[in-house]
Amino acid sequence: MARLEVNFYSYSLSHGVDIEVTIPSFSSCDHQPGVRPTHEPPAKFPVLYLLHGHGNDYQCWTRYTAVERLAEEQRIALVTFNSGNKAYNNMPDGDNYYDFLHEELPSFITGMFPISGRREDTYIAGLSMGGYGTLAHAFTAPEMYCAFGAMSPGVTARPAGASQYSRERSPFGDVYSRTIEPIEELAGRIGEGVMLPKGYICCGKNDFLYERVCQFRKDAEALGADFTWHFVDGYEHEWRYWDYEIANFLSWLPRTDYYADKPHHI
């Protein structure tokens, strides 16, 4: 993989932002006698936007999991970025992370790199706070994503007492009490009859969020949502679990791009 760390000025945030773009590239296994090497891809790559959790940063996914190797093998680009602890929403302080992820970042990525902008080739996934952000964006902008993966997700951002999911304090703090509520957005899209992205939602059974994710499943299925659910014994809220699930998620993705049936050996 070619890994590029990029800093650029964001008009959505009014400050610089760090992102990491990881793109499938020529490897030592690609050398063939009599064939001239090239760095020009035959087609644009599909892309997975990966959202980090509360207290993490844009490097955590590639540092703590095998996602870079897996993405190279499956020929899919990865994009991560720093969002602080802002839960991928627009904030009163002007950090408009919803707008950044919804509009500005995809425009930058598809404009600067050999990455497809088609819905059929665009995926989003995240863990914990990033799982909440995944649900929020997949349900408010279903036209953007072919599929999503929410791993050990925060299913609400409301503070304690504000919803059935908040028997404990919101994992993101009271500042997020006015932000997007995934179950409400899901109900809205189903009511409108729009096509939802395919969904993969998972959680370890020893995770402190497990009961809330189970309740979210009941409510989503009551609305008629048809997602893939994966609950696994023996895991808590931990990178060991997310490393396991990112492999499952990448194998599960519905792929129709040029590279879908062309696995890469590295």
Side-chain angles (χ1 to χ4, degrees):
M1 298 288 279
R3 184 191 294 184
L4 300 92
E5 296 196 19
V6 182
N7 176 277
F8 69 97
Y9 177 81
S10 163
Y11 56 77
S12 300
L13 305 173
S14 297
H15 58 70
V17 63
D18 292 317
I19 72 171
E20 187 172 82
V21 185
T22 312
I23 304 177
S25 59
F26 189 88
S27 79
S28 59
C29 295
D30 294 320
H31 282 288
Q32 299 179 36
V35 178
R36 182 177 181 179
T38 179
H39 290 295
E40 296 182 11
K44 291 186 176 182
F45 292 103
V47 60
L48 171 61
Y49 292 91
L50 273 174
L51 311 187
H52 66 71
H54 191 276
N56 294 161
D57 61 34
Y58 72 107
Q59 295 180 324
C60 286
W61 269 109
T62 50
R63 289 178 62 195
Y64 295 144
T65 77
V67 68
E68 184 175 359
R69 173 182 61 81
L70 295 167
E72 177 68 73
E73 290 173 349
Q74 299 187 36
R75 309 298 277 173
I76 184 170
L78 306 174
V79 177
T80 65
F81 65 97
N82 266 348
S83 70
N85 293 330
K86 302 299 179 69
Y88 308 95
N89 277 270
N90 289 346
M91 293 288 105
D93 62 7
D95 272 341
N96 295 321
Y97 279 101
Y98 181 89
D99 294 346
F100 178 74
L101 176 55
H102 176 70
E103 180 179 356
E104 184 176 3
L105 183 60
S107 175
F108 181 86
I109 291 298
T110 58
M112 292 284 186
F113 303 101
I115 291 176
S116 172
R118 300 192 319 152
R119 179 186 190 268
E120 296 89 341
D121 301 333
T122 305
Y123 312 98
I124 186 171
L127 61 91
S128 194
M129 182 188 75
Y132 159 82
T134 294
L135 296 174
H137 283 262
F139 298 158
T140 57
E143 73 283 356
M144 290 184 61
Y145 305 106
C146 176
F148 70 85
M151 303 178 190
S152 311
V155 294
T156 183
R158 286 175 174 153
S163 83
Q164 67 268 42
Y165 305 120
S166 300
R167 291 184 291 276
E168 303 172 18
R169 184 175 180 272
S170 165
F172 314 135
D174 293 347
V175 68
Y176 302 114
S177 61
R178 296 188 301 276
T179 54
I180 295 166
E181 282 302 309
I183 197 66
E184 294 175 359
E185 296 298 331
L186 177 61
R189 301 298 84 73
I190 290 175
E192 294 163 359
V194 303
M195 181 175 66
L196 292 168
K198 295 183 182 300
Y200 183 98
I201 303 174
C202 60
C203 191
K205 290 186 178 181
N206 294 341
D207 195 307
F208 73 98
L209 293 175
Y210 175 64
E211 289 187 5
R212 278 176 274 183
V213 175
C214 289
Q215 181 62 52
F216 183 82
R217 177 182 184 176
K218 291 179 182 178
D219 291 344
E221 291 181 342
L223 292 169
D226 183 17
F227 301 135
T228 296
W229 302 85
H230 195 211
F231 299 125
V232 185
D233 288 320
Y235 289 100
E236 301 180 13
H237 205 71
E238 56 183 326
W239 280 105
R240 184 173 64 100
Y241 176 60
W242 302 320
D243 184 39
Y244 166 72
E245 285 290 11
I246 194 63
N248 294 332
F249 174 71
L250 286 171
S251 297
W252 168 87
L253 282 179
R255 297 273 299 271
T256 58
D257 58 89
Y258 171 84
Y259 304 98
D261 59 351
K262 300 176 179 62
H264 192 212
H265 299 287
I266 58 173

